[in-house]
Amino acid sequence: MNIVICNNYGELSKKAAHIIKEQINDKQNSVIGLATGSTPLGTYSELIDLYKKGKINFSDTITFNLDEYYRIKKDHPQSYDYFMNENLFNHINIDKKNTHIANGDADNPNDECESYNKMLDSIGGIDLQVLGIGSNGHIGFNEPAQELSARTHLVKLTSKTIEDNSRFFNNVSDVPTQALTMGMADILKAKKIIILISGVNKAKIAAEMFKNRITTQVPASMLHMHPNTTVLIDKDAASMLP
Ligand code: GLP
């Protein structure tokens, strides 16, 4: 893994946006894998800024989001569908037909996962995948477990993730207990990956991730096996690295 230590969150966000811009400028119809959570917000706002300055054109860009809560309606303010519209898609010239987010309100989640996998396969996989990391080491919603799934699947969220994400909901009991997430193979097949790690609350898991071992108990440690991953980490999150 190529590790870039950034002075602060602002620098990390600018660097991430720059990598995405270069990817899209090199290949207009790039397939970009997108993440949610607080960490990519700065990157998305930089991308909006670059778009407004005419430095990036999303008209042919294709996106696939990593995950979505299950069960949640698209218009719920905490759905990842709503998040992407509010924080990126509504502010750039992307064709919404080219954006993909698993339907967290599908009656049959397994069918929904299968059709998401088919779409991913038909598009030929992801050129650049953007990732965040959960404080327990999850990527997408691939939670620490004895076994991880290869493809998009329905997953039960851990109590740690439910507690972490409860900050966005009125009550911890309002947080959905399941999610649809792309699997580890879907992520690791991406040609390039950038993972954004920011803040002192990620320092412990960042240190775990960089240990010289790969374990399904820290799903992000599997990125050691990927040939083209860049870790953008700010000083706070890097404070416990050797
Ligand atoms: C959620 C998302 C992940 C994200 C993680 C970290 O659980 N499913 O894709 O990486 O949160 O979020 P944050 O950046 O808010 O710490």
Side-chain angles (χ1 to χ4, degrees):
M1 284 189 281
N2 168 29
I3 305 174
V4 181
I5 299 185
C6 307
N7 283 314
N8 50 47
Y9 178 67
E11 188 182 313
L12 178 151
S13 302
K14 275 197 168 44
K15 285 201 155 82
H18 179 77
I19 293 170
I20 299 168
K21 177 182 79 120
E22 295 289 287
Q23 172 67 43
I24 294 175
N25 286 349
D26 281 356
K27 184 184 170 201
Q28 284 292 313
N29 62 347
S30 285
V31 184
I32 312 288
L34 295 174
T36 49
S38 318
T39 315
L41 281 173
T43 305
Y44 296 157
S45 126
E46 288 292 335
L47 285 176
I48 294 167
D49 214 44
L50 289 168
Y51 164 69
K52 287 188 175 150
K53 289 180 179 148
K55 303 214 163 125
I56 183 166
N57 170 14
F58 294 92
S59 58
D60 292 324
T61 308
I62 299 159
T63 65
F64 277 84
N65 264 75
L66 277 168
D67 48 15
E68 177 59 286
Y69 288 115
Y70 189 81
R71 194 160 179 166
I72 202 163
K73 290 197 184 302
K74 281 182 189 296
D75 61 1
H76 188 292
Q78 293 311 329
S79 81
Y80 289 161
D81 205 285
Y82 192 96
F83 174 103
M84 289 311 304
N85 285 324
E86 282 288 298
N87 295 303
L88 185 64
F89 298 154
N90 286 348
H91 310 285
I92 57 175
N93 67 333
I94 198 158
D95 182 344
K96 294 243 179 115
K97 284 202 294 294
N98 290 336
T99 68
H100 306 83
I101 303 179
N103 177 9
D105 196 31
D107 286 330
N108 185 328
N110 295 326
D111 285 354
E112 177 61 18
C113 292
E114 206 176 305
S115 88
Y116 206 68
N117 286 331
K118 278 195 182 131
M119 282 191 293
L120 267 172
D121 291 344
S122 71
I123 217 86
I126 287 169
D127 291 306
L128 172 64
Q129 176 67 57
V130 180
L131 295 175
I133 185 170
S135 65
N136 64 357
H138 73 221
I139 50 178
F141 268 133
N142 292 279
E143 296 279 40
Q146 204 142 5
E147 282 183 356
L148 299 174
S149 299
R151 305 301 316 270
T152 309
H153 60 288
L154 178 68
V155 66
K156 194 172 171 305
L157 299 179
T158 60
S159 48
K160 178 77 183 119
T161 296
I162 291 175
E163 186 194 313
D164 283 355
N165 290 7
S166 66
R167 68 189 194 278
F168 300 113
F169 292 81
N170 293 331
N171 211 298
V172 68
S173 61
D174 294 339
V175 185
T177 56
Q178 299 182 93
L180 307 176
T181 182
M182 274 165 46
M184 294 303 296
D186 298 316
I187 294 171
L188 291 170
K189 265 190 300 196
K191 293 190 185 87
K192 272 187 237 160
I193 296 177
I194 54 173
I195 178 162
L196 319 180
I197 314 181
S198 167
V200 75
N201 62 328
K202 297 287 171 69
K204 215 162 148 199
I205 195 63
E208 282 295 319
M209 173 185 166
F210 286 113
K211 278 186 182 162
N212 183 22
R213 57 109 174 74
I214 293 161
T215 166
T216 57
Q217 298 298 339
V218 182
S221 71
M222 300 193 93
L223 296 172
H224 284 290
M225 296 188 292
H226 188 268
N228 193 349
T229 288
T230 297
V231 183
L232 296 173
I233 183 166
D234 66 15
K235 279 192 171 156
D236 286 342
S239 57
M240 287 169 79
L241 297 187

